[in-house]
Amino acid sequence: AERGELQKVVKWLRKGGLVGALCPTTSVDGRASTASLLHVAAANDHLEMVRELLKRGASVDLPSSLGLTPLMDAASGGHLSILLLLLQHSANPDLLDANSCTALMKAADRGHEACVKALLRAKANTELLDKEYGRTALQWAEGQGHTATAALIRQHAAPPQSAAAVEAMQ
């Protein structure tokens, strides 16, 4: 799955391999973890494999042993097509990993504007705080100097003004 070898994965599934099986892996920061085929395919930008696994019933919100979801993997990697596909399959954008980070925080931290836009359209909560640093997605974007990404989040988080309020300000 990591190498994108779709036919080998399909063959393994046909022989009785479980679509939701967790396999040992290492996180990007070097921690030992377990993750599903869907996590690995999402993290490595293998769109066709993600499609196949979802078609075969892979759980879109199944967490890895570190609490990461496939949506978080796609957001962190900036894999917009996969992120959109997971959202179409009702992936929850507000799930938290072991550090209370969301997919929106991960995309904002990396400056993946298109993924941030998609998550905001999916109504990702901009007010959630991670437990390690107590930061919102906006603060993650600002902390990394991603000004355009921060502006997107700021614009989305601002309460809409009524026409009467705008007139009163003029």
Side-chain angles (χ1 to χ4, degrees), residues 45-160:
D45 202 18
H46 299 310
L47 180 61
E48 290 309 312
M49 187 169 305
V50 169
R51 278 196 180 110
E52 183 67 26
L53 294 168
L54 289 170
K55 187 172 85 173
R56 291 174 177 268
S59 174
V60 74
D61 286 332
L62 180 69
S64 72
S65 61
L66 298 175
L68 296 166
T69 65
L71 187 68
M72 292 173 194
D73 291 326
S76 184
H79 306 310
L80 180 62
S81 297
I82 290 173
L83 183 131
L84 291 169
L85 181 61
L86 294 169
L87 288 171
Q88 287 171 358
H89 281 82
S90 302
N92 183 342
D94 293 330
L95 292 178
L96 306 171
D97 71 7
N99 291 321
S100 301
C101 288
T102 64
L104 181 61
M105 290 175 194
K106 291 178 180 300
D109 180 54
R110 301 281 177 94
H112 297 308
E113 288 179 52
C115 290
V116 166
K117 268 187 201 174
L119 289 162
L120 292 172
R121 277 195 309 271
K123 308 233 184 300
N125 187 338
T126 59
E127 301 303 312
L128 295 174
L129 301 172
D130 73 278
K131 74 178 177 190
E132 190 171 356
Y133 300 105
R135 291 194 243 174
T136 63
L138 174 60
Q139 291 165 322
W140 276 101
E142 290 173 338
Q144 295 298 325
H146 302 303
T147 54
T149 303
L152 276 173
I153 297 168
R154 208 177 285 107
Q155 178 184 6
H156 181 83

